[in-house]
Amino acid sequence: MFNCSHDTQIGNEDDKFENSQMLRVTSLASDQDFILYLNNTNMHLEGIKDIVKAEELLEKGENISEQEKEELAIAFGYNSYISWATYHVDQSRLLKKMDDKYALTEMPILDLEDNIADALGYTTQGSFCEDRYSNCLAGAMAQAIIAHVGCGWADLTVAAGILCHGAVYAWHTSMNNDCGYAYHDCLG
């Protein structure tokens, strides 16, 4: 009887943890670090100058030369590799702060994606082309954030982190383009 009582108590504690975790994640939409992270990401994506060149350079992986790192930074819309690296360090710090608050890395990926998409305003009720487009962009951003969280291991060295995050940005740009194409197809 003690074990049954104890098991129930543990289950209740787990439920409390889960509920408090979900409560904290629901506040993600108003979290200033999250909003700053999104704004920085959107400005970065809008500033990309030559995604094709960036993808070519990213394919070199760790064999990329110092000159090619500069070219990569310019392709991504930065004046120098240093400014590109600074952007990544700042974004990684924001992700770390959010992970500390919401335990993002401990959450199952599908739950994390759902929570981020919800914070971005994803809706399952939309049937118009604009709603589909917004949902597509929210889904792409949610998946990109998860991938950036996954790049955390690479942030131990700035160069590896930049390559990992750079690949995510290239993928994110492609996904956003696909959302735009689907939107235009939807409009007919």
Side-chain angles (χ1 to χ4, degrees):
M1 194 143 155
F2 176 75
N3 285 341
C4 291
S5 164
H6 184 66
D7 290 344
T8 303
Q9 187 177 8
I10 289 173
N12 288 338
E13 290 300 314
D14 288 345
D15 290 344
K16 285 179 189 174
F17 173 76
E18 231 175 84
N19 290 335
S20 70
Q21 186 67 20
M22 295 308 279
L23 268 175
R24 288 189 296 159
V25 172
T26 58
S27 66
L28 190 62
S30 60
D31 184 285
Q32 291 305 306
D33 291 326
F34 182 69
I35 292 167
L36 180 59
Y37 183 87
L38 292 177
N39 289 338
N40 290 347
T41 299
N42 285 326
M43 285 182 2
H44 168 76
L45 292 172
E46 290 170 7
I48 294 175
K49 299 208 182 306
D50 189 348
I51 194 64
V52 173
K53 177 73 171 178
E55 288 172 340
E56 287 173 10
L57 292 167
L58 287 167
E59 285 180 17
K60 294 183 174 243
E62 293 190 23
N63 295 326
I64 193 168
S65 70
E66 292 303 312
Q67 175 59 36
E68 289 168 328
K69 287 179 186 177
E70 292 292 331
E71 292 173 23
L72 179 62
I74 291 167
F76 272 122
Y78 292 84
N79 294 330
S80 68
Y81 179 74
I82 296 295
S83 61
W84 168 240
T86 300
Y87 166 79
H88 278 290
V89 168
D90 292 345
Q91 287 292 86
S92 293
R93 284 187 187 136
L94 285 172
L95 273 178
K96 174 73 172 112
K97 283 174 71 176
M98 288 186 289
D99 187 33
D100 290 346
K101 283 188 243 182
Y102 304 109
L104 302 177
T105 54
E106 295 175 24
M107 210 179 276
I109 289 178
L110 292 177
D111 290 344
L112 180 57
E113 182 178 357
D114 288 345
N115 282 295
I116 293 170
D118 287 344
L120 293 167
Y122 183 88
T123 177
T124 57
Q125 298 173 2
S127 62
F128 299 100
C129 297
E130 290 81 12
D131 293 330
R132 291 179 184 176
Y133 178 62
S134 294
N135 285 347
C136 185
L137 291 176
M141 179 67 85
Q143 291 174 11
I145 291 171
I146 291 167
H148 285 297
V149 169
C151 286
W153 64 268
D155 287 335
L156 298 174
T157 66
V158 174
I162 285 176
L163 293 173
C164 184
H165 291 290
V168 173
Y169 282 119
W171 173 86
H172 193 177
T173 299
S174 176
M175 290 304 298
N176 283 353
N177 289 341
D178 286 346
C179 292
Y181 302 144
Y183 173 69
H184 288 293
D185 288 347
C186 181
L187 292 175

